[in-house]
Amino acid sequence: MYSVELYVKIRRAVMVEGRSEREVARYFGIHRKTVKKMCQYAAPPGYRRKKEPVSPKLAPFTGIIDAILEADKQVHTKQRHSAMRILERLRDEHGFTGGYTIVRNYVYKAAIRQKEMFMPLTHLPGHAQVDFGEADGYIGGKLVRFHYFCLDLPHSDGCFVKAYPTEDTESFLDGHIAAFTFLGGVPLSILYDNTRIAVARILGDGKRQRTKAFSELQSHYLFEDKFGRPGKGNDKGNVEGMVGYSRRHFMVPLPIAADFDALNAKLLDGCIKRQQAKLRGQTETIAERMKRDTAAFMALPAVAFDACHKISSRVSSQSLVRYRSNDYLVPTQYGHREVLVKGYVDHVDICSGADIIARHVRSYGREEFIYNPLHYLALLEHKPRALDQAAPLQDWVLPEVFDRLRRLLEVRMERRGRKEYIQVLRLLENFSQVQVEQAIKQAMGLGVIGLDAIKHLILCAIERRPAKLDLAFYPYLPSTSVESTEPRSYLSLLQTPKANHQPAFGGSV
């Protein structure tokens, strides 16, 4: 290899002094082609191969290896060929007699050649990317794995993060609404992966068939949707990075919160504090760049989207409706009817027509029964003997005064007393437990134990008027008799009792 000093002399002679390559080659005693090469490179370029060397033993099999590696692109990552597995197939199927090292080196270099290259991108204001992540934390004293919705603004690196018990349609919709509310507007477009919550099917031409819930969300807020290539997370690399950032910074160490509301308050605080950061290569804070994002946003609609998962169902003979493997109770008068179930993140509404006939706290367990004892009282009134065995009432804890009322009613009214007690319980359908409890105590104090008296006392308390109870409505109570008094009756008080009179100081009469 020639020295750099010789390169300088030859290059100056040809390129500065204007001497011919042939003359310079003759003067320095080197080949004319070498002079030409030196004029092309400022320093010795080193030895360069025109072609990668291949072992003579492996050369006949390289086409087979290339075909295997190409087919692996369509296979799950964890089920692709290793170098050892390729060696085994070459030996078993094609009679290869070489060793592992030459196969491994060829596979390694082929993998480098096949690696995808990426183009640096610039992001205009007003656009967003969305994805879900998952993490562990202590919620309500229990270690649980939760999911979190993450929206990233690539232009400003602003973000919004909210945690949910599961990644489902309800949390997907609610996350959008919460993010739009936090940002104060709707992004012009949102980039997603091909989640089944949004994409029902990928058609042959690459187009997406949206789910009904996602189409309704998009129609309400009018943002443009975009989808990455299947299995290509780099298409939405910004939000992928934000999912990891949120886990590392907002959820390490493991978050501890009383409930999801408390956890989300911490996550929101982390998103707000992050806006003061000035990232590498930027001269402005995230908050300053977010102003351009929000200026490009569309305005929020006057009414927020109803973020729920809707399914049609039928009420069973036990007045139950099933939603996501759990059974929810509805009033018994709706038995065997078609209803619409609307599942939200925190509650479940069951509707008949335009009316909400039942609302329950959302359960994220499996095969659970979610009761409201009040819904069974109408049926129980017709079947009073089931009072002590009705499953929905087993865990219903009422104040002690209710049990005392039941005992008194059953003692005074015998069999009818149980039904009267159930009718008193039905007052809880329209009045609060405190109101009914106070009325029962007042009725007991007045000695008028019964449904009508208790209801009358509740209404009087609400309307702030004195109670007027008519004992004619309570024939089972002890009655009193009031007679007219004659003046001669008072003479009996003046008569001396017929009893032996004893002197004050002893002796006898």
Side-chain angles (χ1 to χ4, degrees):
M1 182 180 293
Y2 298 104
S3 65
V4 178
E5 288 80 2
L6 182 60
Y7 266 73
V8 173
K9 292 178 181 178
I10 291 175
R11 285 167 60 81
R12 280 186 57 82
V14 175
M15 302 173 69
V16 177
E17 298 173 6
R19 300 168 66 178
S20 69
E21 293 178 359
R22 187 182 298 274
E23 180 185 358
V24 172
R26 190 167 49 248
Y27 179 81
F28 286 98
I30 59 176
H31 198 278
R32 181 169 55 83
K33 290 184 178 180
T34 303
V35 174
K36 186 174 184 178
K37 185 183 295 183
M38 287 181 173
C39 292
Q40 294 174 351
Y41 298 97
Y47 179 73
R48 295 177 300 147
R49 293 182 182 273
K50 292 184 179 179
K51 237 177 154 182
E52 286 287 335
V54 179
S55 167
K57 281 190 176 182
L58 187 65
F61 302 92
T62 54
I64 299 172
I65 297 175
D66 291 340
I68 292 174
L69 295 177
E70 185 65 27
D72 272 353
K73 294 180 180 179
Q74 310 301 322
V75 179
H76 190 282
T77 308
K78 295 183 178 181
Q79 289 183 271
R80 294 177 180 174
H81 287 75
S82 63
M84 178 58 73
R85 181 58 184 144
I86 292 177
L87 172 64
E88 293 172 350
R89 289 192 60 185
L90 291 178
R91 285 176 176 175
D92 298 342
E93 301 173 17
H94 304 282
F96 177 65
T97 59
Y100 170 71
T101 303
I102 55 177
V103 175
R104 181 196 62 190
N105 292 341
Y106 184 85
V107 170
Y108 173 74
K109 293 176 181 178
I112 291 177
R113 291 195 300 271
Q114 292 179 0
K115 280 190 175 181
E116 186 178 1
M117 299 299 294
F118 303 102
M119 178 70 68
L121 302 177
T122 182
H123 299 281
L124 299 175
H127 300 270
Q129 298 179 6
V130 161
D131 200 5
F132 267 89
E134 60 179 42
D136 293 337
Y138 290 93
I139 311 297
K142 295 181 180 179
L143 179 62
V144 298
R145 175 154 293 180
F146 59 87
H147 300 254
Y148 57 96
F149 173 93
C150 188
L151 181 144
D152 178 80
L153 302 174
H155 175 76
S156 63
D157 293 302
C159 67
F160 174 81
V161 181
K162 187 174 182 179
Y164 297 94
T166 61
E167 179 184 349
D168 53 17
T169 300
E170 300 92 299
S171 57
F172 181 82
L173 300 177
D174 184 81
H176 282 80
I177 296 170
F180 296 162
T181 303
F182 172 71
L183 298 172
V186 180
L188 301 175
S189 72
I190 302 178
L191 177 63
Y192 302 90
D193 59 14
N194 295 278
T195 171
R196 290 188 177 275
I197 300 175
V199 180
R201 185 182 176 190
I202 301 179
L203 305 177
D205 57 358
K207 293 182 180 179
R208 271 72 172 175
Q209 179 182 335
R210 280 75 169 169
T211 61
K212 185 171 183 271
F214 180 72
S215 296
E216 290 176 352
L217 175 74
Q218 187 180 16
S219 177
H220 190 87
Y221 289 103
L222 300 178
F223 59 86
E224 181 186 359
D225 60 350
K226 298 180 180 178
F227 296 95
R229 294 170 294 170
K232 299 292 184 180
N234 53 280
D235 285 355
K236 52 181 182 59
N238 291 77
V239 72
E240 293 278 357
M242 185 54 62
V243 167
Y245 177 92
S246 301
R247 186 186 297 112
R248 293 189 300 271
H249 291 80
F250 301 158
M251 304 166 198
V252 176
L254 296 186
I256 301 173
D259 51 30
F260 276 93
D261 289 338
L263 173 60
N264 286 323
K266 294 181 181 179
L267 296 178
L268 186 63
D269 184 61
C271 294
I272 294 173
K273 288 180 178 178
R274 184 176 179 274
Q275 293 179 8
Q276 304 308 314
K278 189 180 292 185
L279 303 186
R280 180 176 179 269
Q282 299 291 339
T283 58
E284 300 174 300
T285 64
I286 293 175
E288 291 170 338
R289 289 184 285 134
M290 278 184 69
K291 293 178 181 178
R292 293 191 289 272
D293 270 322
T294 54
F297 284 167
M298 296 181 289
L300 285 168
V303 180
F305 181 71
D306 190 21
C308 64
H309 177 225
K310 303 173 185 176
I311 63 168
S312 297
S313 185
R314 179 182 290 273
V315 181
S316 71
S317 60
Q318 294 183 327
S319 198
L320 296 171
V321 175
R322 182 160 296 176
Y323 178 72
R324 294 197 186 276
S325 80
N326 295 314
D327 291 319
Y328 295 85
L329 182 66
V330 301
T332 54
Q333 62 264 34
Y334 294 95
H336 305 286
R337 294 191 189 180
E338 294 287 340
V339 293
L340 176 67
V341 184
K342 301 171 70 174
Y344 296 84
V345 170
D346 54 357
H347 68 276
V348 174
D349 284 350
I350 303 171
C351 307
S352 178
D355 299 326
I356 299 176
I357 60 175
R359 172 170 290 178
H360 295 277
V361 175
R362 171 77 179 274
S363 171
Y364 285 94
R366 294 189 62 82
E367 300 180 3
E368 294 184 353
F369 291 89
I370 297 86
Y371 292 114
N372 182 344
L374 299 178
H375 292 164
Y376 269 118
L377 294 179
L379 178 62
L380 198 61
E381 187 176 357
H382 297 286
K383 299 182 178 182
R385 290 186 179 182
L387 177 60
D388 294 321
Q389 294 179 303
L393 274 63
Q394 296 303 307
D395 299 325
W396 195 16
V397 179
L398 291 172
E400 187 273 336
V401 69
F402 283 84
D403 290 334
R404 190 154 23 111
L405 172 68
R406 178 183 175 181
R407 291 195 299 270
L408 289 173
L409 288 172
E410 290 181 348
V411 168
R412 295 186 180 184
M413 304 175 64
E414 298 179 351
R415 292 179 60 184
R416 188 173 177 276
R418 181 180 298 182
K419 189 171 184 179
E420 184 93 357
Y421 174 68
I422 296 171
Q423 291 174 336
V424 172
L425 292 179
R426 291 201 65 185
L427 293 175
L428 295 170
E429 296 173 349
N430 300 307
F431 305 105
S432 70
Q433 181 176 302
V434 174
Q435 290 174 318
V436 177
E437 181 183 358
Q438 293 297 327
I440 292 174
K441 291 179 179 179
Q442 188 179 358
M444 287 181 175
L446 296 172
V448 285
I449 310 299
L451 169 66
D452 295 329
I454 294 171
K455 184 176 181 180
H456 177 73
L457 292 170
I458 293 174
L459 295 174
C460 289
I462 294 173
E463 297 170 5
R464 296 184 180 181
R465 57 183 174 85
K468 295 181 179 180
L469 296 170
D470 187 350
L471 295 181
F473 290 107
Y474 309 102
Y476 51 86
L477 295 176
S479 59
T480 58
S481 177
V482 181
E483 298 180 355
S484 300
T485 304
E486 295 184 7
R488 69 178 69 179
S489 300
Y490 288 98
L491 294 175
S492 61
L493 299 175
L494 301 176
Q495 294 178 358
T496 302
K498 295 180 179 180
N500 294 331
H501 178 69
Q502 297 294 335
F505 299 98
S508 61
V509 178

